[in-house]
Amino acid sequence: MAKYLAIILLILFCYNVRAQSWEVGGFAGGSGYMGDLNPNNPLKVSGIAAGGFIKRNINGYVSIRAGYTYGKISAADSTSGGNQQFRDRNLSFTTRLSEISLTGEFNFLKYIPSVSHDIYTPFIYAGIGYTAYNPQANYQGKTYDLRPLTTEGQSTPYPNSTIVAPFGVGIKYNVAGRLSLIADLGYRVAFTDYLDDVSGVYVDKSNLSGVVAKALSDRSGEKTGIYTGSAGTQRGDLRKRDTYLFVGFSISYTFITPKCYF
């Protein structure tokens, strides 16, 4: 899937690169996640995000965007101030995300920097993407990749990449000439429940190989010595998919000549 998306991005970039309705830009902001360690707060930012994009503006309302975004998400049960059950579970993770995406945008107002009457517009977008991820956790001063440890007793490690469905909202403002300042908030529904290495139930530790795998499968007793993760009991929230978000600002430049729109 990643190969095919990369080909699409290359075609979009190479096709008629001299066309005056192309746009390029860069993004910076924050990233967050909703899943088994954060099931209720859709706006919680836990890391940084940055990326770039190219865009084909079909007209003042519709455009197609190809982009790359890097982000970092994390969560820890120990910081769950209002949920004793989470604090007792004591799981944690950090994941670096590397995403390529292809999305369609729709402007609510006709927006062509330095040409149209409207100097701003709200917009929405949706599309498809592909994300590489690798959940990790710190244990006794060291960082471990969680995927190969199969902490829930998987017969084989889960994939380290997934298809995602991006969607979001934002606003564009023509700050000067052909420059636009863009603010947006976008979510990605991941077709995996393992961005955080947590999904289903606790496994019998005798089925795990290695001291580290056994320790990271159930961390409930690290401070108290009392381990509550009995085999077959709930470890995750049992929802099938994790979600992550990117929020921030972009600066873009649009290549325009009058013949594009007249």
Side-chain angles (χ1 to χ4, degrees):
M1 184 66 185
K3 177 177 70 175
Y4 296 118
L5 278 175
I7 291 172
I8 291 172
L9 299 187
L10 183 61
I11 292 172
L12 282 172
F13 182 75
C14 294
Y15 171 73
N16 196 18
V17 294
R18 293 175 295 176
Q20 296 82 2
S21 54
W22 284 88
E23 183 178 348
V24 297
F27 164 84
S31 52
Y33 125 102
M34 281 191 68
D36 304 85
L37 275 68
N38 176 37
N40 301 317
N41 187 348
L43 296 174
K44 186 175 182 179
V45 173
S46 58
I48 61 170
F53 61 88
I54 57 174
K55 190 186 300 182
R56 171 70 167 173
N57 296 307
I58 297 172
N59 53 45
Y61 294 98
V62 178
S63 60
I64 299 172
R65 166 176 160 157
Y68 169 80
T69 309
Y70 165 88
K72 183 178 179 182
I73 57 175
S74 63
D77 285 339
S78 59
T79 63
S80 179
N83 193 316
Q84 184 62 48
Q85 183 180 359
F86 278 19
R87 292 197 300 276
D88 292 342
R89 184 178 59 175
N90 196 39
L91 294 173
S92 63
F93 82 100
T94 297
T95 295
R96 290 172 173 82
L97 306 168
S98 183
E99 176 196 276
I100 55 174
S101 62
L102 184 65
T103 56
E105 289 185 5
F106 176 76
N107 299 327
F108 287 95
L109 302 174
K110 187 175 183 180
Y111 183 78
I112 307 169
S114 78
V115 175
S116 62
H117 173 73
D118 295 308
I119 63 171
Y120 73 94
T121 182
F123 68 96
I124 56 175
Y125 64 90
I128 189 169
Y130 198 75
T131 297
Y133 64 99
N134 181 37
Q136 299 177 313
N138 293 318
Y139 176 65
Q140 293 185 345
K142 295 183 179 180
T143 299
Y144 292 92
D145 292 341
L146 294 170
R147 175 176 169 268
L149 298 178
T150 59
T151 55
E152 292 189 351
Q154 302 94 331
S155 57
T156 58
Y158 48 79
N160 61 358
S161 58
T162 180
I163 295 172
V164 297
F167 62 94
V169 298
I171 188 166
K172 306 173 185 179
Y173 181 75
N174 184 198
V175 291
R178 299 174 186 179
L179 287 175
S180 296
L181 176 64
I182 306 163
D184 76 273
L185 167 65
Y187 290 90
R188 277 76 169 155
V189 177
F191 285 71
T192 180
D193 194 26
Y194 283 108
L195 294 182
D196 48 20
D197 190 63
V198 183
S199 179
V201 297
Y202 288 97
V203 66
D204 186 337
K205 292 181 183 180
S206 64
N207 294 328
L208 297 175
S209 344
V211 174
V212 174
K214 293 176 181 180
L216 294 180
S217 69
D218 177 13
R219 308 190 67 175
S220 58
E222 285 185 6
K223 296 179 180 179
T224 64
I226 302 173
Y227 288 86
T228 59
S230 303
T233 61
Q234 184 176 337
R235 186 172 188 256
D237 62 12
L238 302 183
R239 288 185 290 189
K240 294 182 178 180
R241 295 184 178 93
D242 291 330
T243 302
Y244 64 92
L245 69 91
F246 293 135
V247 58
F249 295 92
S250 301
I251 290 286
S252 71
Y253 183 87
T254 304
F255 298 90
I256 300 171
T257 63
K259 66 180 180 181
C260 289
Y261 298 101
F262 295 96

